[in-house]
Amino acid sequence: MNIFETIDKTEHEEVVFCHNKDVGLKAIIAIHNTVLGPALGGLRMWPYKTEQEALNDVLRLSRGMTYKAAVSGLNLGGGKSIIIGDPKTDKSEELFRAFGRFIDSLGGRYITAEDVGIDVNDMEYVFQETENVVGVHQVHGGSGDPSPFTAYGTYQGIKASLEKKFGNQNIGDYSYAVQGVGHVGMELVKLLHKDGAKIFVTDINEEAIQHCVDNYGCEAVGLDEIYDVDAQVYSPCALGATVNDDTIGRFGFDIVCGSANNQLAETRHGDELEQRGMVYAPDYAVNAGGLMNVSIELEGYNRERALRMTRNIYYNIKRIFDIADRDGIATWKAADRMGEERIQKMGKVKLPFMCQKNVKFSGRSKNGNN
């Protein structure tokens, strides 16, 4: 791969390769766009088969964060980082502290957070070397677990989608197929149950499924059966690419709205959903609640402010539907257009983010004394 040809096509501003032989660190930081503000995106640890696969992943994910932040109305850019390694066997204090030093060397242009394979304990080590971390433990003035906010944002997206399809927001009048009841999916089930909804659930974790059945009256179905249930709303909250050639013909749903990333196997599947009369709420706009929540840390975390911001996902999704109608395009394309229009307009008055002076992290303390 020719790196400069690649980032010219993807329009990345900066790609940083981080290596520390002594601690076994091989990492990549990708900063896609900082017109709206410093790049924010999670750190993922994964045993990539090749370095090329790792690079492809971090470039794709960082670009997605640019669009998520832009559509969400945040003054943030898009970035992402990856560590090549097995999260079950390769973690160490020295690994994450070495990585934290690389983050710090960027002067605030990139702010990291938890992602796949990373937990709050890993972030504690990174936080010891740099302030440019969000999602730190609440003892440090951080926001803690973002899952309830991601679920609440998904709930808001569902309300906007119901209004688009049926002209009302009556959650309890409809049934839901929730695929995946991990941290986010379980929180979404709680919200839907509170409104009296009928809920089908599936997951590889049988204990989580049983918890949903026992506590929220859900009906459990098999992993492959979820695509065939009689529900109005399909809410993928685990795997990506579940809207694909094999599943889409089986859908009897009216709405697809969930928290999973990259729900469409290909963008053409978003077109097909529309052709089949289904409303698709674009995933990165729906699942932005977690990003909104951690972004509050930049100026001093406040839970009520985070909840108020997450409620805006309802209006963001409605705006995407309006753009789709205005331009005669599918909703996935309308979401991209909404993000691009904001970046383009703000790009006339702002330059790429280059320094740390505006990153406040008010109210945080590494020793836990706030």
Side-chain angles (χ1 to χ4, degrees):
M1 170 183 277
N2 185 310
I3 294 294
F4 286 103
E5 285 185 6
T6 299
I7 64 175
D8 183 57
K9 293 177 181 177
T10 59
E11 299 183 319
H12 278 76
E13 293 177 6
E14 186 173 1
V15 179
V16 182
F17 292 84
C18 314
H19 181 238
N20 186 314
K21 182 179 179 180
D22 293 334
V23 302
L25 176 67
K26 292 182 178 180
I28 308 173
I29 302 167
I31 297 174
H32 180 253
N33 185 291
T34 60
V35 167
L36 298 177
L40 193 155
L43 165 64
R44 175 172 297 195
M45 187 172 186
W46 193 255
Y48 295 98
K49 294 179 181 178
T50 65
E51 294 173 3
Q52 183 66 63
E53 181 185 8
L55 179 60
N56 290 343
D57 201 32
V58 76
L59 292 178
R60 175 181 61 85
L61 292 168
S62 55
R63 184 178 183 276
M65 290 303 297
T66 293
Y67 282 84
K68 180 180 290 191
V71 166
S72 301
L74 299 175
N75 294 318
L76 292 168
K80 208 78 173 183
S81 56
I82 61 94
I83 292 177
I84 301 173
D86 189 335
K88 296 179 180 179
T89 60
D90 295 337
K91 290 184 177 182
S92 67
E93 175 183 355
E94 57 270 26
L95 179 82
F96 290 108
R97 293 190 69 168
F99 180 72
R101 292 193 173 200
F102 280 105
I103 296 290
D104 202 55
S105 72
L106 295 173
R109 271 177 53 75
Y110 170 66
I111 302 165
T112 195
E114 290 180 45
D115 200 350
V116 175
I118 299 295
D119 59 34
V120 68
N121 297 312
D122 306 323
M123 287 291 101
E124 289 281 319
Y125 292 131
V126 177
F127 186 46
Q128 290 183 43
E129 301 296 334
T130 181
E131 285 280 345
N132 298 308
V133 184
V134 291
V136 298
H137 196 279
Q138 290 163 316
V139 72
H140 300 299
S143 57
D145 182 11
S147 299
F149 295 88
T150 305
Y152 187 55
T154 305
Y155 174 81
Q156 296 296 327
I158 289 172
K159 290 174 66 175
S161 300
L162 289 175
E163 186 167 301
K164 173 67 174 175
K165 184 67 178 179
F166 301 115
N168 64 74
Q169 305 174 30
N170 302 330
I171 295 281
D173 290 349
Y174 305 98
S175 54
Y176 303 81
V178 179
Q179 183 201 50
V181 285
H183 294 301
V184 176
M186 187 68 74
E187 293 293 333
L188 178 61
V189 165
K190 292 178 186 178
L191 293 169
L192 297 174
H193 171 72
K194 187 176 180 180
D195 284 344
K198 167 66 177 176
I199 311 167
F200 300 91
V201 293
T202 193
D203 197 287
I204 59 173
N205 186 331
E206 294 183 3
E207 290 184 10
I209 289 294
Q210 195 60 48
H211 182 82
C212 290
V213 172
D214 294 341
N215 293 277
Y216 308 117
C218 300
E219 182 175 334
V221 299
L223 293 172
D224 191 58
E225 295 171 4
I226 195 71
Y227 308 117
D228 303 309
V229 299
D230 184 16
Q232 283 80 42
V233 181
Y234 171 53
S235 188
C237 295
L239 300 174
T242 60
V243 181
N244 56 54
D245 289 337
D246 295 328
T247 62
I248 201 168
R250 298 162 60 183
F251 287 1
F253 312 118
D254 297 290
I255 293 167
V256 176
C257 180
S259 67
N261 287 311
N262 304 312
Q263 293 167 23
L264 305 176
E266 299 177 42
T267 54
R268 63 182 175 84
H269 294 114
D271 297 331
E272 188 170 349
L273 287 176
E274 181 168 335
Q275 292 164 6
R276 291 172 177 267
M278 287 177 262
V279 170
Y280 171 60
D283 46 34
Y284 65 78
V286 168
N287 65 22
L291 175 63
M292 291 176 169
N293 179 56
V294 297
S295 74
I296 300 294
E297 289 184 35
L298 301 182
E299 296 183 352
Y301 186 68
N302 181 284
R303 182 178 175 83
E304 288 305 312
R305 186 179 171 207
L307 284 169
R308 187 169 65 250
M309 183 180 288
T310 305
R311 292 189 193 103
N312 287 333
I313 289 177
Y314 168 82
Y315 299 102
N316 294 341
I317 298 301
K318 288 193 67 175
R319 175 63 176 148
I320 289 169
F321 293 155
D322 289 343
I323 292 173
D325 291 341
R326 178 195 75 188
D327 297 347
I329 56 177
T331 55
W332 70 264
K333 189 175 293 184
D336 284 0
R337 187 163 295 179
M338 179 175 168
E340 289 163 357
E341 286 178 356
R342 181 166 183 249
I343 292 170
Q344 183 181 35
K345 290 176 182 177
M346 290 304 299
K348 296 177 180 178
V349 296
K350 296 182 70 173
L351 295 173
F353 184 87
M354 297 303 294
C355 65
Q356 195 176 10
K357 64 181 180 180
N358 293 321
V359 182
K360 301 176 183 178
F361 296 105
S362 175
R364 291 209 320 197
S365 169
K366 291 189 177 182
N367 60 22
N369 297 319
N370 297 306

